[in-house]
Structures are given as structure tokens and as C-alpha cells.
Amino acid sequence: MKKNLLLYLLIVGVFTFLIWYIIDQGKDMKPKAETSAPVVNPNHVLGFQVNNLNPQLITQLCNNYNAQKGIEVKASFRNDSVLFKSVALQPAPIKESKQSSSLDLTSNESVWDQFKHNIQNPLSLLLLQIIIILAVSRSFGLLLTKIGQPSVVGEIIAGIFLGPSIVGYFFPEFSILIFPKTSMSTLQFLSQIGLAFFMFIVGMELDLEKLKNKAQNAVIISHASIIVPFFLGVLLATKIYEDFAPANVSFLAFSLFMGIAMSITAFPVLARIIQERGLTKTPLGAMAITCAAADDVTAWCILAAVIAIVKAGGILSALFTIGLAVIFVLFMLRIVGPWIKKISTTVVEKEKISKTVVAIAFFILLGSAYIAELIGIHALFGAFLAGVIMPHNIKFKNLLAGKIEDVSLLLLLPIFFAFTGLRTHIEMLNQGHLWGTCMLVIGVAVAGKFGGSMFAAKLVGQSWKDSLSLGALMNTRGLMELIVLNIGLDLKILSPEIFSIMVLMALATTFMTGPSLSLINFVSKKLDGIRNKKETHPPEMAENDKSLLS
């Protein structure tokens, strides 16, 4: 045991030093986007060097400000500089709609106009969007389950299908009609509420007491499956930062986010795969669940710290935010947790959960999410923490989860997948080097997560079959990866191109889990068969048999 502990400390120490060294070396790097176009302030008169910029680009920038800010920006070219002037635009005259005193039932045009007007009504549009999202996501989910994939893979594909990559590319008018940009904020809020409920359920499925009592081997495997891909993600950032990082994003923020994005394991998807394959009560299944649970807790704590660093901007502000987060976590674990546990004892005795208890649980969920967002570590971490402190009595957990799970998983989560798909622009990957970068990202992700988990499992004494299976299971990213990527896009750390590439990586690594496990089992059975034949018919015995026959 001491040998494993020393090995664990050595692995974590070496990779932590390497991560720090890479970040320190890259602190002076700047993304190319930062120097590719001037930043125009429409509220002032500016004069600066053009540096051989195309005048059409300058005009386009002015037009963008005209459309976005409601002002007119004029550019006048003087030798090698540009002078910008901003002028407030007059409000556009409102066209008076022609209204007839009576309804014209014979006019097809008026009926169609009225129909279009009803569709564009915010409530009608939202209901239509939800109907289409649910229908498409369920269809793709059922289709993928037929070929042995978890339904979440189909739901991710459904989101990409509804977005600009497929429907928006081939049927742009239909896409604009059903998913106009003005409706994106509503879908985003609904998806965030769904994610908050989902993270609450994920937190409820974790039992910290069981994690404390498990063997250290699971913790070693879990942390190796985080530190190795985190290191490779930071290393990868040195290669793609200048080409893919948005303007004004520091290398520290970009590299840390690439590291955490490579380190995530989808605990719910992994648990579902283990259940579907009948591995729940096997040593491999128990080890995988424990590793994934420890991975989830550790990764979300690291993510909260990364978000705090990115939002704070400075070291002192980041330390202050992390300090508040630690106080918040201790308050939830030491005060709120024991209090809700007392309430749960009466619920278990009655075998019925009252509306008051459900309301208290919702209050803790929403309050925790709000405080986490207020501190600066993201509302989803607060929702996850609220689930973790819930009592782990089976009856209480089942009763409470039954109130939330169906609405969250069947109604609100598909909206999140669709919202993610609407932000994914695969059509932007229209050049060979972009697809080359995509293949590189997928390769690094698999090498870090699969390889790190596999070798760590082998070092602590697992068989090759179990080590490979653990690597395949821990490589599952799925929904949790999409949550992290959307946070990165919202914080403007990830550009649309790298966001789309990372979404494809999440889909590929989740898709390959099932086939990888099947392949490992198939090869293992073949090798066992060959080994058994050699044991039952050794070479000496075979030669003796031949001599007797002769």
C-alpha cells in the first residue's frame, strides 16, 4: 500500500510540475486573432495605423457596429491611418400595417401571413421548438440504442442534426424560421435549468462515505486519469492556442480549460453502460463506478477553480474566490447536509415524501446554484454540491429522484443537446488542416484518458483485460464534456471552431466506448481459448500421442 501511495504522489507531482512549466513558458504567447483585426470603439474618434489592412474589412467592421449598436460608424482613409466617426442613427420609421375593418376569408395571402405571425409568437415558437427537439432526439436515441450505443449518443447527434451543420446548411430558411437567433436566449435558460436538475441528480448518485471507504487503488486510477489528460491538454494548447484562441484570451485560461476538457468522464453515461452490460455487481463494474465518481468530484472541483481563475483575472482575486468556494463547500457539507439528513429520517419512516420536503430540496438546489454563481464558480457546481449533501438513504433518494428525473432527462436535457448543436458549426471545418486538428484533438483525448487510466490500473495490480476495460470506460465523456464546453464558450475562452472540434471529440470518445469493450472481451476470450488449449494439450503430451499412434 505504501508503494502505491508513493507511486501516486510521484505521478501527481511530476505531471503537476510539467503543467506548471508549460503554462509558465506560454504566458507570453498571443492568439493570432488578437492582431488580425483592429478593435473599433464607435463612441470615440480614433486614428491608428492600418498596417496594410483591406479597406473592405474596415467597412465591414463599421457595418457590424451599425447593425449591433444602432449607430453609424464612418471611416475616412488618410494616407496610412483610418479616422472613425460615430453618428447616432435616426430611428427607422415604423411602417403602418394595413388593417382591414373585416376579415378577408378569401385572401390566401392574409391567412398565410396570420399563420406566420402566430408561429413567430414567442410562446408558439418555443412550444414548436420543444416538440421538434423531443421528436428528433427520441428518434435518434432509439435508433442508436438499436446498434448498441447509449441513447445519449443519439441525443447529441440529434442536436448537431438540428443545428447549422445539417438542417441549417441544407434547409437554411426552415432553420431560421424555427430557430431564429432571437430565441436562443430562451433555449439557453431552459437548458441551464435542465442541467441544474441533472447535476443535482448526479450529485445524489455519489456517496462520499463509500468513496472514503474504497481502496486507494480507485483513487490512484481516478487521479491518474485526470492528471495525464490534463497535462496532454495543456501541452496541446501550446500547439493550437495561436490559431484557435479568441482574441484577448490569455494562454493560462485557454490551456487550463483545454486541460480540464480533456480530463472529464461522463459518470452517468458510464453507469448506464455498466448497467446495460451487466457489470454492476462485478469487481470491474464496482471499480469503474468508484473511479468515475472520484473523477467527477475531483474534476468539478478543478473546474470550479479554473472558472474562478478565469473570471477573477488576477491571482489575488482568484484566491479570494477559491477561499469563498471552500467556505461554501464546508457550510453545505457540515451544516446543511446534517440538517436535511434529519428531515429524511421522518420521510423514510412514512415511506412517503411530502410536498414540503420536495420544496425544501428545490430550495437547497436553487439556493446552492445561486450562491455558486454569485461566488463565481458557476451555478452547476452549486447544483452538483446540493445533490452530494442529500441523504444517501435508498428510499429517500429514490422518492426524491423520481420527482425530478423524468422532467430533467426526458424534457429539459434534449433542449440542452439541441442548444449545443445549434452552437456547433461543423461546416466551418471546411479546410484540411482543421480536420487534421480535429483528429489530433481526438487522438490526444484518447491517449490521455484511455492510456492514463489503463496504465494506472495495471500499475496497481489489475489484469490487462480489466485495465483495458477501465481505460475504455473512463474515456467516456458524453454529456459532462458538453457541459464543460458550453461553459468555455459562454466565458469566451473557446472559439466556435475549437468548440465544434471538441464537441466532435466528445461524440467520438463516447461512441467508441461500447465497441471498445466488445473488442476487448472478444480478444480476451480468444486468448483464453488459446491458453486453455495449450494447458490441456501441452507439446510433450501431443508428441507422446503421436508416438503411440505410430
Side-chain angles (χ1 to χ4, degrees):
M1 192 63 69
K2 290 183 178 180
K3 181 181 177 182
N4 288 343
L5 182 60
L6 291 173
L7 181 66
Y8 164 72
L9 293 174
L10 178 64
I11 291 172
V12 173
V14 169
F15 280 102
T16 301
F17 171 77
L18 290 174
I19 290 168
W20 171 83
Y21 178 78
I22 293 170
I23 292 174
D24 184 65
Q25 291 296 310
K27 63 185 179 182
D28 296 327
M29 296 174 67
K30 291 185 178 180
K32 292 179 181 178
E34 199 166 298
T35 57
S36 62
V39 178
V40 183
N41 185 351
N43 298 317
H44 298 83
V45 178
L46 301 175
F48 56 87
Q49 299 296 317
V50 179
N51 293 331
N52 298 322
L53 283 176
N54 191 334
Q56 292 181 353
L57 178 61
I58 302 293
T59 306
Q60 183 62 41
L61 286 171
C62 295
N63 292 337
N64 290 342
Y65 271 97
N66 180 14
Q68 296 174 7
K69 303 294 184 180
I71 56 177
E72 182 181 3
V73 181
K74 294 182 179 180
S76 58
F77 298 89
R78 298 178 182 174
N79 298 327
D80 59 349
S81 64
V82 184
L83 187 66
F84 291 93
K85 292 183 178 180
S86 59
V87 183
L89 290 176
Q90 294 294 328
I94 301 174
K95 296 181 179 180
E96 295 184 1
S97 59
K98 296 180 180 179
Q99 297 181 352
S100 57
S101 58
S102 61
L103 182 63
D104 185 4
L105 297 177
T106 60
S107 173
N108 292 329
E109 185 178 352
S110 62
V111 172
W112 174 243
D113 289 342
Q114 183 65 29
F115 180 72
K116 285 180 65 177
H117 174 73
N118 291 339
I119 290 179
Q120 293 170 357
N121 179 276
L123 179 59
S124 301
L125 184 62
L126 178 61
L127 294 174
L128 179 61
Q129 288 172 340
I130 294 174
I131 291 170
I132 292 174
I133 290 169
L134 292 180
V136 175
S137 64
R138 292 303 297 168
S139 300
F140 275 88
L142 291 173
L143 180 64
L144 267 293
T145 53
K146 297 293 183 182
I147 60 174
Q149 290 291 334
S151 59
V152 67
V153 174
E155 292 170 352
I156 295 172
I157 296 174
I160 296 173
F161 174 81
L162 289 171
S165 302
I166 299 178
V167 172
Y169 185 80
F170 292 102
F171 308 100
E173 293 182 358
F174 175 79
S175 181
I176 292 172
L177 177 66
I178 303 300
F179 297 105
K181 289 185 177 180
T182 53
S183 68
M184 289 298 100
S185 58
T186 304
L187 287 177
Q188 183 178 18
F189 289 138
L190 277 177
S191 67
Q192 291 298 312
I193 292 173
L195 288 179
F197 284 124
F198 174 75
M199 293 305 300
F200 180 72
I201 295 170
V202 172
M204 287 180 63
E205 292 177 351
L206 296 177
D207 192 340
L208 294 181
E209 293 299 324
K210 286 185 178 180
L211 286 180
K212 292 177 184 177
N213 298 329
K214 288 289 181 181
Q216 291 183 351
N217 290 347
V219 178
I220 293 172
I221 297 170
S222 171
H223 288 183
S225 73
I226 291 177
I227 195 71
V228 175
F230 196 102
F231 161 71
L232 291 179
V234 172
L235 187 63
L236 176 65
T238 62
K239 302 296 182 184
I240 66 175
Y241 170 73
E242 293 182 341
D243 292 325
F244 292 99
N248 302 319
V249 171
S250 66
F251 178 77
L252 174 66
F254 185 80
S255 61
L256 288 177
F257 225 89
M258 287 299 297
I260 196 64
M262 292 290 178
S263 308
I264 291 293
T265 291
F267 173 73
V269 180
L270 181 144
R272 193 181 304 179
I273 292 173
I274 288 175
Q275 185 179 15
E276 290 174 354
R277 290 181 170 265
L279 300 173
T280 306
K281 295 182 180 180
T282 64
L284 172 63
M287 177 67 77
I289 289 290
T290 306
C291 290
D295 191 296
D296 245 17
V297 173
T298 307
W300 276 95
C301 290
I302 296 173
L303 177 64
V306 170
I307 293 172
I309 292 170
V310 171
K311 284 187 173 181
I315 297 297
L316 291 178
S317 300
L319 291 175
F320 178 73
T321 301
I322 293 172
L324 288 178
V326 171
I327 294 172
F328 169 57
V329 170
L330 292 175
F331 174 77
M332 294 291 288
L333 291 175
R334 300 296 183 187
I335 298 177
V336 180
W339 175 68
I340 193 67
K341 188 176 182 179
K342 289 181 180 179
I343 296 176
S344 70
T345 54
T346 58
V347 173
V348 173
E349 292 172 0
K350 296 179 181 178
E351 295 189 357
K352 184 180 179 182
I353 189 166
S354 65
K355 292 182 179 179
T356 304
V357 175
V358 175
I360 292 172
F362 281 151
F363 176 79
I364 293 173
L365 161 62
L366 298 175
S368 178
Y370 175 73
I371 294 172
E373 185 70 23
L374 206 63
I375 291 173
I377 53 176
H378 207 278
L380 294 181
F381 179 81
F384 174 75
L385 182 60
V388 170
I389 67 167
M390 288 292 128
H392 291 283
N393 184 288
I394 298 298
K395 289 182 179 179
F396 179 85
K397 190 160 59 174
N398 290 342
L399 289 170
L400 185 57
K403 301 284 185 179
I404 304 172
E405 201 165 10
D406 289 342
V407 175
S408 172
L409 296 181
L410 299 179
L411 179 64
L412 297 177
L413 272 187
I415 296 176
F416 168 72
F417 290 124
F419 178 70
T420 302
L422 290 168
R423 307 173 90 181
T424 304
H425 294 269
I426 299 177
E427 77 282 359
M428 295 177 67
L429 309 180
N430 54 5
Q431 298 179 16
H433 77 279
L434 294 176
W435 284 106
T437 302
C438 183
M439 294 298 104
L440 176 63
V441 168
I442 293 174
V444 169
V446 174
K449 202 70 178 176
F450 187 101
S453 304
M454 179 189 68
F455 284 115
K458 188 60 184 171
L459 285 173
V460 297
Q462 298 291 321
S463 65
W464 273 114
K465 179 190 173 184
D466 286 351
S467 299
L468 290 166
S469 299
L470 276 171
L473 287 167
M474 296 297 286
N475 192 43
T476 306
R477 285 176 173 84
L479 172 61
M480 306 300 284
E481 178 74 13
L482 298 186
I483 294 173
V484 174
L485 295 179
N486 275 276
I487 292 173
L489 191 62
D490 290 335
L491 294 175
K492 295 181 172 55
I493 299 171
L494 303 178
S495 64
E497 292 88 354
I498 198 65
F499 174 81
S500 301
I501 288 173
M502 297 294 283
V503 168
L504 290 177
M505 179 272 289
L507 181 60
T509 52
T510 308
F511 190 90
M512 69 187 295
T513 302
S516 298
L517 288 173
S518 299
L519 179 62
I520 292 166
N521 289 332
F522 175 79
V523 173
S524 177
K525 287 180 180 179
K526 286 290 184 183
L527 293 175
D528 288 342
I530 295 171
R531 196 178 297 112
N532 291 333
K533 286 182 180 179
K534 288 183 177 180
E535 290 176 357
T536 54
H537 297 284
E540 296 83 0
M541 186 179 296
E543 290 178 3
N544 292 334
D545 291 342
K546 288 180 181 179
S547 62
L548 289 171
L549 289 172
S550 61

